[in-house]
Amino acid sequence: MQFRRALGLLPLALLLLAWELAVQAKVYPPVLLPPPAKVLMVFIDDWDTVLGNALASISRVAVGISLAFLFAVPLGLMIGRYRLLDTMTDWSIQIFRSIPPIALIPMALLFLGIGDKPAIALIFLAGTWPLLINTIFGVRGIERTLLKVAKAARASEFLVMKDIILPAALPAIFTGLRLAVGGGWLTVVTAEMIAVKSGLGYMILNAQLTFRSDLIIAGIIVIGAIGLLADQAVRMVRAHVCRWQEGLTASPE
Amino acid sequence: MSKFLECIGVGKIYPGKTEPVEALRGIDFTCDAGDFVCLLGRSGCGKSTLLQMVAGLEKPTSGQIVIANRELDGPSPEAAIVFQDHGLFPWMTVQKNVEFNMKARGVLAAERRATATQFIEMTSLTGFADRYPHELSGGMRQRVGIARALTTRPKALLMDEPFGALDAQTRGKLQDEVLQIWEKQRTTVLFVTHSIDEALLLADRILVFSPRPGRIAADIKVDLPRPRTSQSPGFVALARELRGLVGADREID
Ligand SMILES: Nc1ncnc2c1ncn2[C@@H]1O[C@H](COP(=O)(O)OP(=O)(O)O)[C@@H](O)[C@H]1O
Ligand SMILES: [Mg+2]
C-alpha cells in the first residue's frame, strides 16, 4: 500500500530529470538554475539555516491552527446544534470565508506590526473557516434518532455535546483540520515574505536578494515535504481517533 | 391493577412544509400497569407519533397524557424507548451504549458497569460487550437497544416497530425474548407494529389505527393463552377480524 502510494511521486521524478537535463543543456546560467546536486549540498552546508527557518514556520502554523481549533470547534458545535445561532451567523461566515487571508496582510501589519503576531493571526484566520464550516456540517449530519435517544434518556446538554454531538462530528472536524493545516501552511509562507524576518517564506525571499537560487529551490522542496508530512500526520490521527468508523464508510483504497 | 397510562383527547398536528398535517385526532385510551399493548395500523396512521408523545419526545397539540398519575411534560423517567433503526451510538462499544441511559441519570460508573453487564447477559449479548455496533448483526443491534432501554428499569417500555427490519427467523426469536423479559420485569409495553401476526403473538390488547387523521378504529382484547403460535386456536379468526379492521392491503402481512 505504502509502496503504491510512493508511485505518486513519479511526476516529481520526471520533473527532477527534466531539471537535470536542462542544466546539462545549459538552458539557463547556473546562477539561475543550479544543478540538483548543488541544491542537495544546501541540506549539508546550510542545514542549520534551513532547519531553523523550518521550525519557525512549523511553530507558527502549530500555534495558529491550535488557536483556530480551540475557537472554531466549540463555536461550530454550538452553531450546528442551535438553529438560532446558525441563522444569526450564516451569511457572515460565508462572507468571511471568501476573503483570502493574504488580503488581510496589510491590515495585520498596521495593527500588529512586524513579527510573529501578524503571521499567527493570519494562520488563525486561514484555519478558522474550514474548521468552523466542517464542524457545523458534521453536527448537521448526525442521525436524528440518536438525539431522540438522548432526549428520551433526559441527558444533560453537556453530556449530549460531549458524548454525542462531538463524536458524531469528529470525522468532519478532521476533514476541516486537514484543510486548515493545508491553508495555514500556504498562509505562513506568504506571510513570512512580508510580515516576519524568519521562516521558510522569509528564507526564500531573502535568498532571492542574495542570488542564492540553490537555497530558494531547497526551501521550496522543504515547504512541499512538510506540507505532505503534516497532511499525513492529520490523516493518521484521524484514522486512530475515528476507528469506530472502520467498515462504516467506503474507503478510497 | 391500576391505571398506569392515560391518553385523554390527544391530538397532534405537525406544522408540515406546505400545509399542516393532522397526524392524530381524539386519541382516548387507558392502559393498566403490566399490559402488553400493540398499536397496529398501516404506515401513516400516526402510531410513531403517539409513541413519541408518550415518550415525551413530541408534545400533543391537544389533550393530555398521564403516566403514573402525572401529566406528561417532556420525557418521563418511568419510560424507555426502542427504535426500529436501533439508535445506537456508532462510536460507543456495546457496553458503553448499554450504559448510556444510566449515565444520563448520573449513575456512578461502577454501578453502571454492573447493571449493564446484567442486561447484556439477559439479552444474550455476553461476549460482545467490547464490539462496536457496526460489527453486529441487525438482530444483535436491536438486542443492544433493548438492553439499554431496560437498564433504568422502566415501568413503560415503548417499542416502535423494533423488529420491522429483521428477517422472519430473527424476528421470531426476538419476539420470544421480549415476552420473556416482559414476564420477568412486569413492565407495561407499548409496541408499534404493522404486522397482524406480530400483534397477535405478543399483545394482551390491540389498538387498531385508521389513517387521515390517525384515530383508534378498534380496541381488541386478545385472550389467547400463552405461549402462542400462529396455529393457536382462535388465532386465525382474530387475524381475519383484524385484517378487516385494518383495511387489509398488501402493506399488512
Ligand atoms: N416530524 C413530522 N413533521 C411533519 N409530518 C410528520 C412528522 N412526523 C410524522 N408526520 C406525518 O404524520 C403522519 C403520521 O406519521 P407516523 O406517526 O410516522 O405514522 P406511522 O408510525 O403510523 O407510520 C404521516 O402522515 C406523517 O407524514
Ligand atoms: Mg412509524
Side-chain angles (χ1 to χ4, degrees):
Chain A
M1 193 86 79
Q2 285 303 317
F3 175 73
R4 284 188 46 183
R5 281 261 181 75
L7 273 180
L9 293 172
L10 192 66
L12 213 60
L14 290 177
L15 186 68
L16 199 69
L17 189 70
W19 173 14
E20 180 64 39
L21 289 176
V23 171
Q24 301 281 334
K26 299 199 166 46
V27 179
Y28 292 101
V31 192
L32 278 187
L33 189 67
K38 179 145 188 255
V39 172
L40 194 64
M41 288 308 289
V42 171
F43 293 107
I44 295 164
D45 296 337
D46 296 310
W47 66 270
D48 49 345
T49 312
V50 175
L51 184 66
N53 285 304
L55 287 178
S57 298
I58 290 172
S59 48
R60 277 178 200 128
V61 173
V63 173
I65 295 301
S66 302
L67 292 175
F69 193 91
L70 293 177
F71 170 72
V73 170
L75 186 62
L77 293 177
M78 305 288 279
I79 294 176
R81 174 104 173 112
Y82 305 111
R83 264 253 100 78
L84 181 68
L85 264 183
D86 179 47
T87 316
M88 281 165 37
T89 53
D90 184 31
W91 279 22
S92 306
I93 293 172
Q94 300 307 332
I95 291 171
F96 278 129
R97 75 152 175 164
S98 30
I99 303 172
I102 310 306
L104 298 171
I105 288 185
M107 283 262 278
L109 287 179
L110 279 179
F111 282 89
L112 302 169
I114 296 271
D116 276 333
K117 267 194 243 159
I120 289 173
L122 293 170
I123 295 160
F124 170 80
L125 286 174
T128 291
W129 309 116
L131 273 168
L132 187 60
I133 288 161
N134 278 281
T135 305
I136 295 170
F137 179 78
V139 177
R140 288 285 155 66
I142 188 169
E143 211 187 307
R144 281 176 58 192
T145 308
L146 300 183
L147 294 176
K148 286 185 186 170
V149 168
K151 190 176 173 194
R154 311 198 309 158
S156 69
E157 198 53 28
F158 176 74
L159 187 67
V160 172
M161 274 290 178
K162 179 173 81 69
D163 277 17
I164 301 176
I165 308 263
L166 176 65
L170 261 188
I173 290 174
F174 271 98
T175 304
L177 186 60
R178 274 182 78 184
L179 293 170
V181 168
W185 192 239
L186 295 180
T187 305
V188 75
V189 174
T190 319
E192 283 165 351
M193 290 186 165
I194 304 172
V196 221
K197 298 248 169 290
S198 64
L200 293 168
Y202 170 79
M203 184 185 89
I204 60 179
L205 193 74
N206 201 44
Q208 184 213 340
L209 300 177
T210 54
F211 294 101
R212 288 283 311 274
S213 45
D214 55 337
L215 193 54
I216 295 180
I217 296 174
I220 292 170
I221 291 171
V222 173
I223 290 168
I226 294 176
L228 176 73
L229 290 178
D231 192 60
Q232 292 294 323
V234 176
R235 281 174 64 143
M236 275 168 57
V237 176
R238 180 209 163 115
H240 180 74
V241 174
C242 302
R243 261 175 327 217
W244 54 268
Q245 259 204 327
E246 275 166 39
L248 270 185
T249 49
S251 78
E253 275 95 20
Chain B
M1 287 280 172
S2 61
K3 269 184 214 155
F4 172 67
L5 168 70
E6 277 181 281
C7 289
I8 305 158
V10 171
K12 176 73 181 181
I13 299 173
Y14 287 109
K17 283 224 170 63
T18 49
E19 54 182 24
V21 180
E22 187 172 15
L24 285 171
R25 181 191 291 175
I27 301 297
D28 279 299
F29 76 94
T30 63
C31 92
D32 293 335
D35 275 359
F36 199 124
V37 179
C38 276
L39 315 182
L40 176 70
R42 306 188 210 176
S43 75
C45 289
K47 306 179 302 288
S48 296
T49 300
L50 182 59
L51 205 73
Q52 304 219 18
M53 289 196 293
V54 174
L57 296 172
E58 292 281 355
K59 275 198 169 54
T61 34
S62 55
Q64 55 177 342
I65 298 173
V66 179
I67 292 184
N69 296 318
R70 234 189 298 146
E71 185 175 349
L72 206 60
D73 177 29
S76 160
E78 312 281 8
I81 186 163
V82 177
F83 295 94
Q84 174 171 355
D85 49 359
H86 323 299
L88 300 184
F89 304 109
W91 48 86
M92 293 186 199
T93 58
V94 167
Q95 176 85 24
K96 294 287 174 201
N97 265 291
V98 174
E99 285 183 20
F100 183 81
N101 287 4
M102 292 183 281
K103 193 171 179 185
R105 299 192 167 195
V107 176
L108 295 179
E111 190 187 334
R112 278 200 319 253
R113 211 167 305 128
T115 309
T117 304
Q118 178 193 335
F119 284 99
I120 282 172
E121 198 176 312
M122 182 187 283
T123 48
S124 331
L125 285 166
T126 310
F128 293 92
D130 295 325
R131 299 291 182 88
Y132 285 95
H134 76 262
E135 300 174 294
L136 307 181
S137 67
M140 283 162 77
R141 282 180 212 174
Q142 201 49 285
R143 289 198 174 99
V144 179
I146 293 170
R148 176 174 64 193
L150 293 173
T151 53
T152 54
R153 298 170 209 277
K155 295 214 181 82
L157 186 58
L158 313 173
M159 308 181 91
D160 192 355
E161 306 206 28
F163 310 143
L166 303 178
D167 62 87
Q169 203 185 344
T170 313
R171 190 177 187 156
K173 219 166 141 207
L174 281 170
Q175 285 165 349
D176 287 344
E177 289 177 21
V178 160
L179 283 175
Q180 281 170 24
I181 288 167
W182 170 65
E183 270 154 25
K184 196 151 36 174
Q185 310 283 108
R186 279 287 138 203
T187 139
T188 309
V189 179
L190 284 196
F191 189 107
V192 171
T193 180
H194 63 253
S195 157
I196 289 172
D197 282 5
E198 184 165 64
L200 281 174
L201 283 172
L202 298 175
D204 291 322
R205 186 176 158 201
I206 299 174
L207 302 177
V208 183
F209 281 69
S210 64
R212 271 177 307 265
R215 280 153 300 152
I216 296 178
D219 183 344
I220 308 283
K221 212 164 169 51
V222 185
D223 270 334
L224 306 177
R226 299 173 187 276
R228 304 170 184 162
T229 70
S230 51
Q231 274 75 49
S232 301
F235 193 100
V236 176
L238 268 173
R240 193 176 310 122
E241 184 187 348
L242 285 168
R243 214 167 287 130
L245 285 167
V246 158
D249 61 24
R250 268 174 222 96
E251 245 182 286
I252 304 281
D253 39 67

